[in-house]
Amino acid sequence: MTLHCPAPIPARAGIGLRSQHYREILEEPPPVAWMETHPENYFGEGGAPRQLLEHIRSQYPLSFHGVGLSIGSTDPIDSTHLRKLKALVDRFQPTFVSEHLSWSSVDGRFLNDLLPLPYTEESLNLVCAKIDEIQTELQRPLLIENVTQYLTWPDSTIPEGEFMAEVVKRSGCGILLDLNNLYVNAVNLHLDPVKFLDVIPPDAVQEIHLAGFDRVGRWLVDTHGRAVYPEVWSLYQWTIYHFGPRPTLIEWDTNLPPLAELVEQASQADAILRACYATPA
Amino acid sequence: MPPLHELQRAFAAAMIEGKGLTAMTSMRVGPAWRSLALYRRLIRNNYVQALTITYPMLRRLIGGRYFSTFARGYLKRYPSKSGDLFLYGQHFSFFLFTLEAPRVLVELARLEWACHEISQAVEKPAFTLGWFEGLAAVDPACVKVHLQPTARLLRFSSPVHVVWQTLQPESVAVAEIGRPLPEEGAYLLLTRVEGKIRVAELAALDYRLLTAMADGRQVDHVEQMAMEVDPQFDFARFIAALMEMNALVGVSMETSL
């Protein structure tokens, strides 16, 4: 049964839906434009989480951000997982469905993390074939997110940005641009984020993610456990200025703050988006 | 560079079994071992976090440090088989058993996995007592009832539900079905009522009767079982209590009305 038609997500800020905030959201729906959640959290077909998602969906446009399809794995797509995702998408009609440009399983064994691919022709062919399979099943375009990397594979032959652009060109998918990931990679791996953005086709970018990171030794780690850092806000302003306004999500998954703080972060993003609208072309 | 499949297989081995990435350690940035160590840490944390969500009372009982140690051991023995972390941790109770952990930990893990499973199970429409009475015209020998998919019958050798209850951040009332508590062990009925898990302790006879129903015995047969043990058994009250707990669903009849 179809619950709703997809509601358009405006080029405004949304927040991630987390169970710790359920009660607050139900009591006083926060002033944000949309919400995003991990579909895997609702694969169980009953129970309170599903009921809550029904309620949220009746009040906000929704986006699904998957973490389990492992599209960069040489294993075939887990058909059970894809079937569950399809059922959920049909039921809740999210505006966007996204996944990560990463892998997390091999030989049927899952690592349940978003692991980086070597950017090679072999990977490109594999990823495009997987995206094609997913899009065919879901009957809608997928958005692909750039992931955090704590290593570069020595024999990658294609720069990451060009790799993503080619995936878009071949598969017809869109891009979920995670600016925190881009910043974290830039610092950890001494990369130039602007160089990455320069080769990304602007029209393909349909959603942006912002989040906070933690410092662990020499690394910046993408924990989604803090407020967005000033450096990432600056990258966001640059991106919005060059790409135009895009639906923007504040991701905060660990060390969760009160809902009001999350909403405040969303309003900061909205202020930047409004400023962009006000800027003459 | 090795083919992608070989690379992914070696990486996974390095993450879970700690084996080196001998063919691939010439990373461009920083010593490779640092990258790998970070990924190992992040991946382990993901699993510890997933098990913490599924087994909150067990973690509370033994503390985060011991829990993490068990969780890391479990990861080596039982790697994840799904991209859906909700499914991870099914064998944690058995894993603790193989470690010869105290019985209460093994049983607490079993209880928590059952809670985890029913928390997102699909609930079928429950039948009401009135509807049940409407079946008066039907031959009772043909009537069967079933357990809700959101219900579980469990038998423990320790009063683990008392431990589970004591550990709850908010006290949860234990429902009873009118029988004295056993001195050792426990027969439990877990149900989900309005999204919350309820744990009811059953008398041995109640457990036996409910098991018979769950196994597909006809209602009148189950009633006879009760009468043979206790001629004063109030079967109607027993059924009503089960319905109040949202434990029963549907009625199948071998012949049509």
Side-chain angles (χ1 to χ4, degrees), chain B residues 117-225:
Chain B
E117 277 190 320
I118 66 177
S119 67
Q120 290 197 24
V122 179
E123 184 178 326
K124 292 189 176 174
F127 63 84
T128 63
L129 194 57
W131 193 86
F132 195 69
E133 286 165 350
L135 291 172
V138 179
D139 179 357
C142 300
V143 178
K144 292 179 181 178
V145 297
H146 309 284
L147 271 187
Q148 266 281 12
T150 54
R152 294 285 185 283
L153 273 174
L154 297 168
R155 181 180 180 178
F156 294 103
S157 62
S158 64
V160 65
H161 60 301
V162 178
V163 178
W164 181 79
Q165 222 184 336
T166 306
L167 292 164
Q168 295 290 329
E170 299 168 15
S171 179
V172 178
V174 174
E176 292 184 33
I177 303 191
R179 296 280 154 178
L181 298 181
E183 289 181 3
E184 289 187 2
Y187 300 99
L188 300 183
L189 171 62
L190 274 59
T191 54
R192 194 181 78 207
V193 181
E194 294 176 355
K196 293 187 176 171
I197 306 295
R198 287 180 67 183
V199 178
E201 179 155 12
L202 304 176
L205 177 58
D206 295 338
Y207 179 83
R208 204 176 134 215
L209 299 179
L210 202 44
T211 303
M213 284 187 194
D215 288 345
R217 297 292 184 90
Q218 289 88 349
V219 170
D220 78 324
H221 178 89
V222 177
E223 187 173 9
Q224 279 173 25
M225 284 172 61

Side-chain angles (χ1 to χ4, degrees), chain A residues 207-226:
Chain A
E207 182 184 339
I208 290 174
H209 274 184
L210 299 173
F213 53 80
D214 276 287
R215 294 176 195 277
V216 179
R218 67 179 288 271
W219 303 99
L220 302 189
V221 177
D222 177 36
T223 53
H224 296 181
R226 290 182 184 280

Side-chain angles (χ1 to χ4, degrees), chain A residues 41 43-47 72 74 103 106-107 109-113 116 118 122 149-150 153-155 216 218-219, chain B residues 1 4-5 8-9 11 16-17 28 34-35 38-39 41 46-47 79-83 119-122 192:
Chain A
N41 292 346
F43 274 4
E45 293 177 7
T74 50
W103 67 279
V106 61
D107 298 333
R109 185 160 73 170
F110 277 76
L111 297 169
N112 299 95
D113 206 337
E122 182 190 6
Q149 298 176 215
Y150 305 105
W153 295 106
D155 294 321
V216 179
R218 67 179 288 271
W219 303 99
Chain B
M1 183 175 222
L4 185 58
H5 181 248
Q8 292 181 340
R9 180 183 280 178
F11 191 93
I16 294 178
E17 289 132 29
R28 282 185 182 138
R34 282 189 180 164
S35 297
L38 179 61
Y39 273 113
R41 182 171 162 183
N46 288 345
Y47 290 114
S80 171
K81 301 281 187 192
S82 170
S119 67
Q120 290 197 24
V122 179
R192 194 181 78 207

Side-chain angles (χ1 to χ4, degrees), chain A residues 4-280:
Chain A
H4 312 273
C5 293
I9 290 183
R12 288 182 49 206
I15 59 171
L17 175 63
R18 298 292 168 261
S19 59
Q20 292 89 334
H21 292 146
Y22 281 173
R23 185 174 295 179
E24 266 184 283
I25 290 172
L26 288 177
E27 286 172 0
E28 191 175 343
V32 295
W34 57 287
M35 292 199 187
E36 182 165 280
T37 194
H38 298 306
E40 289 83 359
N41 292 346
Y42 304 91
F43 274 4
E45 293 177 7
R50 274 269 186 148
Q51 287 177 358
L52 186 115
L53 195 60
E54 302 261 1
H55 184 81
I56 296 292
R57 179 63 184 86
S58 70
Q59 301 203 19
Y60 294 94
L62 194 62
S63 169
F64 280 171
H65 186 45
V67 293
L69 273 176
S70 189
I71 62 170
S73 169
T74 50
D75 284 0
I77 292 274
D78 180 341
S79 58
T80 303
H81 194 106
L82 184 54
R83 203 169 50 244
K84 286 181 180 177
L85 178 62
K86 162 79 172 157
L88 208 64
V89 167
D90 287 347
R91 172 75 184 149
F92 288 94
Q93 294 290 324
T95 311
F96 299 134
V97 180
S98 55
E99 253 293 349
H100 297 83
L101 183 59
S102 64
W103 67 279
S104 60
S105 64
V106 61
D107 298 333
R109 185 160 73 170
F110 277 76
L111 297 169
N112 299 95
D113 206 337
L114 305 168
L115 304 168
L117 280 164
Y119 299 122
T120 62
E121 195 64 32
E122 182 190 6
S123 299
L124 189 56
N125 291 333
L126 177 87
V127 164
C128 290
K130 294 279 184 72
I131 292 173
D132 187 50
E133 183 183 344
I134 295 165
Q135 292 183 148
T136 301
E137 177 67 19
L138 299 183
Q139 289 292 296
R140 57 160 65 207
L142 191 67
L143 306 188
I144 296 299
E145 180 188 326
N146 56 305
V147 297
T148 310
Q149 298 176 215
Y150 305 105
L151 58 80
T152 47
W153 295 106
D155 294 321
S156 280
T157 53
I158 309 169
E160 184 189 8
E162 288 175 27
F163 188 94
M164 288 196 80
E166 191 60 24
V167 169
V168 168
K169 188 176 161 190
R170 290 192 194 180
S171 72
C173 73
I175 290 177
L176 192 174
L177 183 59
D178 190 313
L179 292 176
N180 185 59
N181 291 351
L182 186 58
Y183 179 75
V184 163
N185 290 349
V187 173
N188 286 337
L189 305 175
H190 314 300
L191 303 173
D192 180 355
V194 174
K195 223 173 184 177
F196 173 96
L197 292 171
D198 276 349
V199 296
I200 293 294
D203 290 348
V205 177
Q206 295 181 39
E207 182 184 339
I208 290 174
H209 274 184
L210 299 173
F213 53 80
D214 276 287
R215 294 176 195 277
V216 179
R218 67 179 288 271
W219 303 99
L220 302 189
V221 177
D222 177 36
T223 53
H224 296 181
R226 290 182 184 280
V228 179
Y229 274 81
E231 298 89 333
V232 177
W233 283 121
S234 298
L235 192 56
Y236 179 58
Q237 284 175 306
W238 192 96
T239 303
I240 293 299
Y241 182 77
H242 285 88
F243 284 23
R246 294 289 191 277
T248 300
L249 185 88
I250 305 296
E251 280 190 302
W252 202 321
D253 297 324
T254 61
N255 191 27
L256 271 177
L259 183 60
E261 193 173 339
L262 205 53
V263 172
E264 168 57 27
Q265 291 271 291
S267 67
Q268 279 194 52
D270 272 332
I272 291 170
L273 289 165
R274 277 197 304 273
C276 177
Y277 280 123
T279 305

